[in-house]
Amino acid sequence: MKVYVLRLGHRLQRDHRISTHCGLVARAFGGDGIIYAGDFDKNMIESVRKVSEEWGGPFEIMYEKNWKKVVENFKQKGFSLVHLTMYGMPIQKKIRSLRKCKKIIVAIGGEKVPSEIYDMADFNISITQQPHSEVAALAIFLDRIFKGKELDKKFQGAKKRIIPQERGKKVVKE
Amino acid sequence: MKVYVLRLGHRLQRDHRISTHCGLVARAFGGDGIIYAGDFDKNMIESVRKVSEEWGGPFEIMYEKNWKKVVENFKQKGFSLVHLTMYGMPIQKKIRSLRKCKKIIVAIGGEKVPSEIYDMADFNISITQQPHSEVAALAIFLDRIFKGKELDKKFQGAKKRIIPQERGKKVVKE
């Protein structure tokens, strides 16, 4: 399955770290790429790209100011739009339908999400009905979609790799 | 099972939002409380407390400058220390042992984690061996510990509650 993440409404400075975490989570949990919408943030995008170059890919990082254009482009290519929101249907009730999609673009918001997206979405999905974090919601969503197998994902072209240890750190260069 | 979260090395301003998300995730995914170590950040702690008052609990929010004191106190009370780190053993290999613990304090770091914690920890656990986010790592950890049942958790004394919808938002006051 192909899964891209659409990060809505990025704001310079204020969202720098959260949006970086969204990109890293999208990559680490098996996503194919992330598209940042909102403010253009060169440093933030570079920091995600740097991780991907160092730790492997493939993982695409894109920017498009206008989120609606992204949604329309992906829908034309046969992607289903999943919008993660605490107001949506519980993922545990929709996971079977979601897994039938072959291509998903999953939109995650910040604090102000345009109301149109609720109507444009093929699925509005909640990861608990509690306020928490788009970073956590994205991780759980990808984990459910990939059935936990993403935890063992191998990345191509990695310059370094961790050998898990009971204590301490072990990193090998490839 | 009792699970508390220890947020290591909070820094004013820089960590404000990430640490807030850690607190909200700790609560939303079934944790019993969070202890913030590092800088004292009244506003950040208040914002987590406010969510808990509004959306229900019980959920404890505590502060202690010295993280080591927290670990010692919890260990004395029979808690096992789990440290989430990309260098640790994969959660999928350790989940059976982790579920045998009756009380867990799970430590999550920011960018600079004191090396002593690797030795003090009963388990150093990785959620993928890739760099991503302590927010995502915590969510996946709690989800594995609680076997996904935390997604249906009911919160006591909530002033409002969401009724999941296919589209739009529905919130009821209790």
Side-chain angles (χ1 to χ4, degrees):
Chain A
M1 190 193 296
K2 280 227 162 297
V3 183
Y4 284 83
V5 175
L6 170 58
R7 167 63 167 161
L8 299 165
H10 173 75
R11 296 162 301 176
L12 283 166
Q13 291 186 327
R14 188 166 160 72
D15 291 331
H16 186 94
R17 286 184 73 210
I18 296 283
S19 290
T20 302
H21 284 215
C22 290
L24 299 181
V25 165
R27 175 187 165 277
F29 289 87
D32 293 283
I34 189 165
I35 305 99
Y36 288 104
D39 293 343
F40 178 65
D41 190 340
K42 196 183 167 191
N43 291 342
M44 189 268 294
I45 287 174
E46 275 311 305
S47 69
V48 178
R49 202 182 304 278
K50 207 178 143 192
V51 167
S52 191
E53 281 170 14
E54 217 169 334
W55 295 90
F59 184 70
E60 294 178 69
I61 304 150
M62 293 164 276
Y63 169 76
E64 165 58 58
K65 192 177 183 64
N66 183 345
W67 67 269
K68 234 185 269 183
K69 205 184 273 180
V70 179
V71 168
E72 284 161 4
N73 281 346
F74 274 79
K75 283 208 166 191
Q76 271 182 359
K77 291 179 193 161
F79 280 76
S80 300
L81 174 62
V82 178
H83 172 222
L84 298 186
T85 162
M86 64 194 283
Y87 301 101
M89 297 299 288
I91 186 158
Q92 60 273 35
K93 293 200 176 155
K94 290 288 180 182
I95 187 63
R96 286 182 185 201
S97 310
L98 290 168
R99 286 197 190 126
K100 284 181 192 152
C101 302
K102 294 222 170 98
K103 299 172 177 180
I104 286 176
I105 177 154
V106 52
I108 49 174
E111 280 161 41
K112 286 179 192 168
V113 170
S115 65
E116 295 159 277
I117 201 156
Y118 285 86
D119 291 321
M120 291 176 83
D122 298 291
F123 299 90
N124 288 290
I125 296 292
S126 58
I127 312 291
T128 82
Q129 290 76 53
Q130 300 296 320
H132 56 89
S133 168
E134 56 269 44
V135 180
L138 178 61
I140 297 287
F141 176 79
L142 294 171
D143 182 65
R144 286 296 188 282
I145 288 288
F146 296 125
K147 301 180 184 180
K149 289 177 187 161
E150 80 288 351
L151 297 182
D152 294 309
K153 178 171 179 174
K154 303 281 173 261
F155 290 83
Q156 296 163 26
K159 292 177 186 158
K160 49 191 190 179
R161 191 165 53 88
I162 286 168
I163 314 289
Q165 305 288 306
E166 298 276 357
R167 309 210 171 272
K169 307 177 182 180
K170 188 170 183 179
V171 185
V172 290
K173 288 188 180 168
E174 299 286 359
Chain B
M1 190 191 300
K2 278 227 163 298
V3 183
Y4 284 84
V5 175
L6 170 59
R7 167 63 167 161
L8 298 165
H10 173 74
R11 295 162 301 176
L12 283 167
Q13 291 185 326
R14 186 164 162 73
D15 292 332
H16 185 94
R17 286 183 74 210
I18 295 283
S19 290
T20 303
H21 284 214
C22 291
L24 298 181
V25 164
R27 174 187 165 279
F29 289 86
D32 293 282
I34 189 165
I35 306 99
Y36 287 104
D39 294 344
F40 178 65
D41 190 339
K42 195 182 167 190
N43 290 342
M44 189 268 294
I45 288 174
E46 275 311 306
S47 68
V48 179
R49 203 183 304 277
K50 208 179 144 192
V51 167
S52 191
E53 281 170 15
E54 217 168 335
W55 294 90
F59 184 71
E60 293 178 69
I61 304 150
M62 294 165 274
Y63 169 76
E64 166 55 56
K65 191 177 183 66
N66 184 345
W67 67 269
K68 234 184 268 185
K69 206 184 273 180
V70 179
V71 167
E72 284 161 3
N73 281 347
F74 274 79
K75 283 207 166 194
Q76 272 182 359
K77 291 179 192 159
F79 281 77
S80 300
L81 174 62
V82 178
H83 172 222
L84 297 186
T85 161
M86 64 194 282
Y87 302 101
M89 297 300 287
I91 187 158
Q92 61 272 37
K93 293 200 174 154
K94 292 287 181 182
I95 186 64
R96 285 182 186 201
S97 309
L98 290 168
R99 285 197 190 125
K100 283 181 191 151
C101 302
K102 295 221 170 97
K103 299 173 178 179
I104 286 177
I105 176 154
V106 51
I108 49 174
E111 279 160 43
K112 286 178 189 167
V113 169
S115 64
E116 295 158 276
I117 201 156
Y118 285 87
D119 292 320
M120 291 174 83
D122 298 291
F123 299 90
N124 288 289
I125 296 292
S126 58
I127 312 292
T128 82
Q129 290 76 52
Q130 300 296 320
H132 55 90
S133 169
E134 56 268 43
V135 180
L138 178 60
I140 298 287
F141 176 79
L142 294 171
D143 182 65
R144 286 297 188 281
I145 287 290
F146 296 125
K147 302 182 184 180
K149 288 176 189 162
E150 80 288 352
L151 297 182
D152 295 307
K153 179 170 178 173
K154 303 280 174 260
F155 291 82
Q156 296 163 25
K159 293 177 187 158
K160 50 191 189 178
R161 191 165 52 86
I162 287 168
I163 314 288
Q165 304 289 306
E166 299 276 357
R167 308 211 173 271
K169 307 177 181 181
K170 188 169 184 181
V171 185
V172 290
K173 289 189 180 168
E174 299 285 0

